[in-house]
PDB file of all heavy atoms in Angstrom:
ATOM      1  N   LEU A 293       8.005   9.264  -9.221  1.00 93.00           N
ATOM      2  CA  LEU A 293       7.265   9.254 -10.487  1.00 93.00           C
ATOM      3  C   LEU A 293       7.787  10.321 -11.444  1.00 93.00           C
ATOM      4  O   LEU A 293       7.667  10.182 -12.661  1.00 93.00           O
ATOM      5  CB  LEU A 293       5.773   9.476 -10.238  1.00 93.00           C
ATOM      6  CG  LEU A 293       4.937   8.236 -10.013  1.00 93.00           C
ATOM      7  CD1 LEU A 293       3.495   8.605  -9.704  1.00 93.00           C
ATOM      8  CD2 LEU A 293       5.001   7.286 -11.181  1.00 93.00           C
ATOM      9  N   GLY A 294       8.364  11.392 -10.880  1.00 92.00           N
ATOM     10  CA  GLY A 294       8.926  12.446 -11.719  1.00 92.00           C
ATOM     11  C   GLY A 294      10.100  11.984 -12.558  1.00 92.00           C
ATOM     12  O   GLY A 294      10.463  12.647 -13.533  1.00 92.00           O
ATOM     13  N   MET A 295      10.692  10.854 -12.203  1.00 91.00           N
ATOM     14  CA  MET A 295      11.830  10.313 -12.956  1.00 91.00           C
ATOM     15  C   MET A 295      11.395   9.532 -14.186  1.00 91.00           C
ATOM     16  O   MET A 295      12.230   9.110 -14.982  1.00 91.00           O
ATOM     17  CB  MET A 295      12.652   9.395 -12.054  1.00 91.00           C
ATOM     18  CG  MET A 295      13.255  10.072 -10.872  1.00 91.00           C
ATOM     19  SD  MET A 295      14.138   8.856  -9.879  1.00 91.00           S
ATOM     20  CE  MET A 295      14.542   9.841  -8.451  1.00 91.00           C
ATOM     21  N   ILE A 296      10.080   9.309 -14.316  1.00 90.00           N
ATOM     22  CA  ILE A 296       9.545   8.504 -15.416  1.00 90.00           C
ATOM     23  C   ILE A 296       8.715   9.413 -16.317  1.00 90.00           C
ATOM     24  O   ILE A 296       8.000  10.290 -15.835  1.00 90.00           O
ATOM     25  CB  ILE A 296       8.634   7.378 -14.875  1.00 90.00           C
ATOM     26  CG1 ILE A 296       9.412   6.457 -13.941  1.00 90.00           C
ATOM     27  CG2 ILE A 296       8.023   6.579 -16.010  1.00 90.00           C
ATOM     28  CD1 ILE A 296       8.528   5.440 -13.244  1.00 90.00           C
ATOM     29  N   ALA A 297       8.778   9.165 -17.625  1.00 88.00           N
ATOM     30  CA  ALA A 297       7.893   9.872 -18.561  1.00 88.00           C
ATOM     31  C   ALA A 297       6.491   9.301 -18.363  1.00 88.00           C
ATOM     32  O   ALA A 297       6.232   8.147 -18.698  1.00 88.00           O
ATOM     33  CB  ALA A 297       8.360   9.666 -19.986  1.00 88.00           C
ATOM     34  N   LEU A 298       5.616  10.093 -17.773  1.00 90.00           N
ATOM     35  CA  LEU A 298       4.272   9.611 -17.452  1.00 90.00           C
ATOM     36  C   LEU A 298       3.427   9.469 -18.709  1.00 90.00           C
ATOM     37  O   LEU A 298       3.488  10.321 -19.600  1.00 90.00           O
ATOM     38  CB  LEU A 298       3.590  10.549 -16.466  1.00 90.00           C
ATOM     39  CG  LEU A 298       4.256  10.676 -15.103  1.00 90.00           C
ATOM     40  CD1 LEU A 298       3.488  11.658 -14.228  1.00 90.00           C
ATOM     41  CD2 LEU A 298       4.339   9.332 -14.417  1.00 90.00           C
ATOM     42  N   PRO A 299       2.622   8.420 -18.776  1.00 91.00           N
ATOM     43  CA  PRO A 299       1.770   8.221 -19.950  1.00 91.00           C
ATOM     44  C   PRO A 299       0.570   9.179 -19.927  1.00 91.00           C
ATOM     45  O   PRO A 299       0.223   9.739 -18.886  1.00 91.00           O
ATOM     46  CB  PRO A 299       1.299   6.768 -19.793  1.00 91.00           C
ATOM     47  CG  PRO A 299       1.311   6.540 -18.330  1.00 91.00           C
ATOM     48  CD  PRO A 299       2.481   7.342 -17.807  1.00 91.00           C
ATOM     49  N   VAL A 300      -0.045   9.334 -21.085  1.00 93.00           N
ATOM     50  CA  VAL A 300      -1.279  10.113 -21.171  1.00 93.00           C
ATOM     51  C   VAL A 300      -2.356   9.336 -20.418  1.00 93.00           C
ATOM     52  O   VAL A 300      -2.502   8.124 -20.592  1.00 93.00           O
ATOM     53  CB  VAL A 300      -1.690  10.309 -22.647  1.00 93.00           C
ATOM     54  CG1 VAL A 300      -3.020  11.029 -22.750  1.00 93.00           C
ATOM     55  CG2 VAL A 300      -0.594  11.050 -23.397  1.00 93.00           C
ATOM     56  N   HIS A 301      -3.064  10.041 -19.542  1.00 94.00           N
ATOM     57  CA  HIS A 301      -4.110   9.383 -18.754  1.00 94.00           C
ATOM     58  C   HIS A 301      -5.247  10.357 -18.484  1.00 94.00           C
ATOM     59  O   HIS A 301      -5.100  11.562 -18.638  1.00 94.00           O
ATOM     60  CB  HIS A 301      -3.542   8.848 -17.436  1.00 94.00           C
ATOM     61  CG  HIS A 301      -2.974   9.904 -16.552  1.00 94.00           C
ATOM     62  ND1 HIS A 301      -1.704  10.415 -16.735  1.00 94.00           N
ATOM     63  CD2 HIS A 301      -3.493  10.571 -15.495  1.00 94.00           C
ATOM     64  CE1 HIS A 301      -1.461  11.333 -15.830  1.00 94.00           C
ATOM     65  NE2 HIS A 301      -2.539  11.458 -15.052  1.00 94.00           N
ATOM     66  N   GLU A 302      -6.387   9.796 -18.116  1.00 94.00           N
ATOM     67  CA  GLU A 302      -7.550  10.607 -17.781  1.00 94.00           C
ATOM     68  C   GLU A 302      -8.090  10.165 -16.425  1.00 94.00           C
ATOM     69  O   GLU A 302      -7.937   9.009 -16.028  1.00 94.00           O
ATOM     70  CB  GLU A 302      -8.642  10.469 -18.840  1.00 94.00           C
ATOM     71  CG  GLU A 302      -9.221   9.057 -18.939  1.00 94.00           C
ATOM     72  CD  GLU A 302     -10.369   8.954 -19.921  1.00 94.00           C
ATOM     73  OE1 GLU A 302     -11.240   9.840 -19.900  1.00 94.00           O
ATOM     74  OE2 GLU A 302     -10.372   7.986 -20.688  1.00 94.00           O
ATOM     75  N   ASP A 303      -8.715  11.097 -15.731  1.00 94.00           N
ATOM     76  CA  ASP A 303      -9.338  10.780 -14.447  1.00 94.00           C
ATOM     77  C   ASP A 303     -10.688  10.131 -14.696  1.00 94.00           C
ATOM     78  O   ASP A 303     -11.555  10.723 -15.336  1.00 94.00           O
ATOM     79  CB  ASP A 303      -9.533  12.044 -13.606  1.00 94.00           C
ATOM     80  CG  ASP A 303      -8.230  12.629 -13.111  1.00 94.00           C
ATOM     81  OD1 ASP A 303      -7.240  11.884 -13.046  1.00 94.00           O
ATOM     82  OD2 ASP A 303      -8.209  13.832 -12.789  1.00 94.00           O
ATOM     83  N   LEU A 304     -10.848   8.908 -14.213  1.00 93.00           N
ATOM     84  CA  LEU A 304     -12.166   8.272 -14.238  1.00 93.00           C
ATOM     85  C   LEU A 304     -12.975   8.733 -13.031  1.00 93.00           C
ATOM     86  O   LEU A 304     -14.180   8.879 -13.091  1.00 93.00           O
ATOM     87  CB  LEU A 304     -12.041   6.746 -14.193  1.00 93.00           C
ATOM     88  CG  LEU A 304     -11.477   6.097 -15.442  1.00 93.00           C
ATOM     89  CD1 LEU A 304     -11.378   4.593 -15.244  1.00 93.00           C
ATOM     90  CD2 LEU A 304     -12.351   6.404 -16.646  1.00 93.00           C
ATOM     91  N   ARG A 305     -12.276   8.912 -11.934  1.00 91.00           N
ATOM     92  CA  ARG A 305     -12.879   9.410 -10.705  1.00 91.00           C
ATOM     93  C   ARG A 305     -11.923  10.434 -10.128  1.00 91.00           C
ATOM     94  O   ARG A 305     -10.808  10.101  -9.768  1.00 91.00           O
ATOM     95  CB  ARG A 305     -13.086   8.272  -9.713  1.00 91.00           C
ATOM     96  CG  ARG A 305     -13.624   8.738  -8.380  1.00 91.00           C
ATOM     97  CD  ARG A 305     -13.936   7.569  -7.515  1.00 91.00           C
ATOM     98  NE  ARG A 305     -14.926   6.771  -8.212  1.00 91.00           N
ATOM     99  CZ  ARG A 305     -15.906   6.119  -7.644  1.00 91.00           C
ATOM    100  NH1 ARG A 305     -16.000   6.121  -6.356  1.00 91.00           N
ATOM    101  NH2 ARG A 305     -16.764   5.440  -8.339  1.00 91.00           N
ATOM    102  N   GLU A 306     -12.370  11.665 -10.074  1.00 94.00           N
ATOM    103  CA  GLU A 306     -11.561  12.715  -9.458  1.00 94.00           C
ATOM    104  C   GLU A 306     -11.259  12.312  -8.021  1.00 94.00           C
ATOM    105  O   GLU A 306     -12.090  11.678  -7.371  1.00 94.00           O
ATOM    106  CB  GLU A 306     -12.312  14.044  -9.470  1.00 94.00           C
ATOM    107  CG  GLU A 306     -12.470  14.659 -10.834  1.00 94.00           C
ATOM    108  CD  GLU A 306     -11.182  15.213 -11.389  1.00 94.00           C
ATOM    109  OE1 GLU A 306     -10.329  15.664 -10.596  1.00 94.00           O
ATOM    110  OE2 GLU A 306     -11.023  15.202 -12.618  1.00 94.00           O
ATOM    111  N   PRO A 307     -10.091  12.662  -7.502  1.00 94.00           N
ATOM    112  CA  PRO A 307      -9.799  12.330  -6.106  1.00 94.00           C
ATOM    113  C   PRO A 307     -10.862  12.920  -5.184  1.00 94.00           C
ATOM    114  O   PRO A 307     -11.277  14.067  -5.355  1.00 94.00           O
ATOM    115  CB  PRO A 307      -8.442  12.994  -5.858  1.00 94.00           C
ATOM    116  CG  PRO A 307      -7.830  13.105  -7.211  1.00 94.00           C
ATOM    117  CD  PRO A 307      -8.970  13.336  -8.154  1.00 94.00           C
ATOM    118  N   GLU A 308     -11.348  12.095  -4.260  1.00 96.00           N
ATOM    119  CA  GLU A 308     -12.365  12.540  -3.316  1.00 96.00           C
ATOM    120  C   GLU A 308     -12.135  11.899  -1.964  1.00 96.00           C
ATOM    121  O   GLU A 308     -11.508  10.851  -1.863  1.00 96.00           O
ATOM    122  CB  GLU A 308     -13.763  12.222  -3.831  1.00 96.00           C
ATOM    123  CG  GLU A 308     -14.026  10.752  -4.044  1.00 96.00           C
ATOM    124  CD  GLU A 308     -15.368  10.455  -4.688  1.00 96.00           C
ATOM    125  OE1 GLU A 308     -16.115  11.405  -5.000  1.00 96.00           O
ATOM    126  OE2 GLU A 308     -15.680   9.276  -4.869  1.00 96.00           O
ATOM    127  N   ASN A 309     -12.639  12.561  -0.943  1.00 96.00           N
ATOM    128  CA  ASN A 309     -12.518  12.066   0.424  1.00 96.00           C
ATOM    129  C   ASN A 309     -13.852  11.505   0.877  1.00 96.00           C
ATOM    130  O   ASN A 309     -14.908  11.970   0.458  1.00 96.00           O
ATOM    131  CB  ASN A 309     -12.092  13.193   1.373  1.00 96.00           C
ATOM    132  CG  ASN A 309     -10.777  13.800   0.974  1.00 96.00           C
ATOM    133  OD1 ASN A 309      -9.856  13.104   0.589  1.00 96.00           O
ATOM    134  ND2 ASN A 309     -10.682  15.116   1.038  1.00 96.00           N
ATOM    135  N   GLY A 310     -13.780  10.496   1.746  1.00 96.00           N
ATOM    136  CA  GLY A 310     -14.996   9.897   2.278  1.00 96.00           C
ATOM    137  C   GLY A 310     -14.685   9.100   3.532  1.00 96.00           C
ATOM    138  O   GLY A 310     -13.580   9.185   4.078  1.00 96.00           O
ATOM    139  N   LEU A 311     -15.668   8.347   3.965  1.00 95.00           N
ATOM    140  CA  LEU A 311     -15.528   7.528   5.169  1.00 95.00           C
ATOM    141  C   LEU A 311     -15.755   6.061   4.838  1.00 95.00           C
ATOM    142  O   LEU A 311     -16.545   5.737   3.953  1.00 95.00           O
ATOM    143  CB  LEU A 311     -16.550   7.955   6.233  1.00 95.00           C
ATOM    144  CG  LEU A 311     -16.417   9.353   6.797  1.00 95.00           C
ATOM    145  CD1 LEU A 311     -17.618   9.683   7.668  1.00 95.00           C
ATOM    146  CD2 LEU A 311     -15.149   9.483   7.604  1.00 95.00           C
ATOM    147  N   VAL A 312     -15.049   5.192   5.535  1.00 94.00           N
ATOM    148  CA  VAL A 312     -15.294   3.753   5.454  1.00 94.00           C
ATOM    149  C   VAL A 312     -15.479   3.237   6.876  1.00 94.00           C
ATOM    150  O   VAL A 312     -14.920   3.787   7.824  1.00 94.00           O
ATOM    151  CB  VAL A 312     -14.140   2.975   4.768  1.00 94.00           C
ATOM    152  CG1 VAL A 312     -14.026   3.365   3.312  1.00 94.00           C
ATOM    153  CG2 VAL A 312     -12.831   3.177   5.481  1.00 94.00           C
ATOM    154  N   MET A 313     -16.278   2.202   7.012  1.00 95.00           N
ATOM    155  CA  MET A 313     -16.483   1.578   8.309  1.00 95.00           C
ATOM    156  C   MET A 313     -15.353   0.587   8.559  1.00 95.00           C
ATOM    157  O   MET A 313     -15.051  -0.244   7.722  1.00 95.00           O
ATOM    158  CB  MET A 313     -17.832   0.856   8.352  1.00 95.00           C
ATOM    159  CG  MET A 313     -18.139   0.202   9.684  1.00 95.00           C
ATOM    160  SD  MET A 313     -18.218   1.337  11.076  1.00 95.00           S
ATOM    161  CE  MET A 313     -19.641   2.309  10.675  1.00 95.00           C
ATOM    162  N   VAL A 314     -14.736   0.711   9.711  1.00 93.00           N
ATOM    163  CA  VAL A 314     -13.663  -0.202  10.106  1.00 93.00           C
ATOM    164  C   VAL A 314     -14.288  -1.283  10.972  1.00 93.00           C
ATOM    165  O   VAL A 314     -14.989  -0.994  11.936  1.00 93.00           O
ATOM    166  CB  VAL A 314     -12.556   0.550  10.886  1.00 93.00           C
ATOM    167  CG1 VAL A 314     -11.468  -0.405  11.330  1.00 93.00           C
ATOM    168  CG2 VAL A 314     -11.976   1.662  10.040  1.00 93.00           C
ATOM    169  N   ARG A 315     -14.036  -2.528  10.604  1.00 92.00           N
ATOM    170  CA  ARG A 315     -14.605  -3.655  11.346  1.00 92.00           C
ATOM    171  C   ARG A 315     -13.523  -4.304  12.200  1.00 92.00           C
ATOM    172  O   ARG A 315     -12.364  -4.318  11.830  1.00 92.00           O
ATOM    173  CB  ARG A 315     -15.189  -4.685  10.381  1.00 92.00           C
ATOM    174  CG  ARG A 315     -16.149  -4.097   9.385  1.00 92.00           C
ATOM    175  CD  ARG A 315     -17.541  -4.470   9.433  1.00 92.00           C
ATOM    176  NE  ARG A 315     -17.817  -5.768   9.984  1.00 92.00           N
ATOM    177  CZ  ARG A 315     -19.039  -6.151  10.251  1.00 92.00           C
ATOM    178  NH1 ARG A 315     -20.036  -5.364  10.014  1.00 92.00           N
ATOM    179  NH2 ARG A 315     -19.277  -7.330  10.753  1.00 92.00           N
ATOM    180  N   GLY A 316     -13.929  -4.824  13.315  1.00 90.00           N
ATOM    181  CA  GLY A 316     -13.019  -5.538  14.199  1.00 90.00           C
ATOM    182  C   GLY A 316     -13.612  -6.882  14.566  1.00 90.00           C
ATOM    183  O   GLY A 316     -14.745  -7.184  14.224  1.00 90.00           O
ATOM    184  N   ARG A 317     -12.848  -7.703  15.255  1.00 89.00           N
ATOM    185  CA  ARG A 317     -13.326  -9.011  15.738  1.00 89.00           C
ATOM    186  C   ARG A 317     -12.908  -9.162  17.184  1.00 89.00           C
ATOM    187  O   ARG A 317     -11.780  -8.844  17.548  1.00 89.00           O
ATOM    188  CB  ARG A 317     -12.755 -10.150  14.912  1.00 89.00           C
ATOM    189  CG  ARG A 317     -13.305 -10.209  13.508  1.00 89.00           C
ATOM    190  CD  ARG A 317     -12.876 -11.508  12.838  1.00 89.00           C
ATOM    191  NE  ARG A 317     -13.477 -11.647  11.541  1.00 89.00           N
ATOM    192  CZ  ARG A 317     -14.632 -12.263  11.324  1.00 89.00           C
ATOM    193  NH1 ARG A 317     -15.297 -12.792  12.315  1.00 89.00           N
ATOM    194  NH2 ARG A 317     -15.117 -12.354  10.107  1.00 89.00           N
ATOM    195  N   VAL A 318     -13.809  -9.672  17.980  1.00 86.00           N
ATOM    196  CA  VAL A 318     -13.525  -9.912  19.389  1.00 86.00           C
ATOM    197  C   VAL A 318     -12.437 -10.972  19.478  1.00 86.00           C
ATOM    198  O   VAL A 318     -12.570 -12.063  18.917  1.00 86.00           O
ATOM    199  CB  VAL A 318     -14.802 -10.372  20.135  1.00 86.00           C
ATOM    200  CG1 VAL A 318     -14.481 -10.712  21.570  1.00 86.00           C
ATOM    201  CG2 VAL A 318     -15.867  -9.317  20.048  1.00 86.00           C
ATOM    202  N   GLY A 319     -11.330 -10.652  20.132  1.00 82.00           N
ATOM    203  CA  GLY A 319     -10.238 -11.608  20.286  1.00 82.00           C
ATOM    204  C   GLY A 319      -9.515 -11.917  18.993  1.00 82.00           C
ATOM    205  O   GLY A 319      -8.740 -12.861  18.914  1.00 82.00           O
TER     206      GLY A 319
END
Side-chain angles (χ1 to χ4, degrees):
L293 270 177
M295 298 178 188
I296 300 173
L298 297 179
V300 176
H301 61 279
E302 64 176 316
D303 291 338
L304 290 179
R305 176 174 300 216
E306 290 288 329
E308 61 186 1
N309 301 319
L311 296 171
V312 294
M313 181 61 66
V314 178
R315 308 246 333 171
R317 290 190 175 268
V318 176

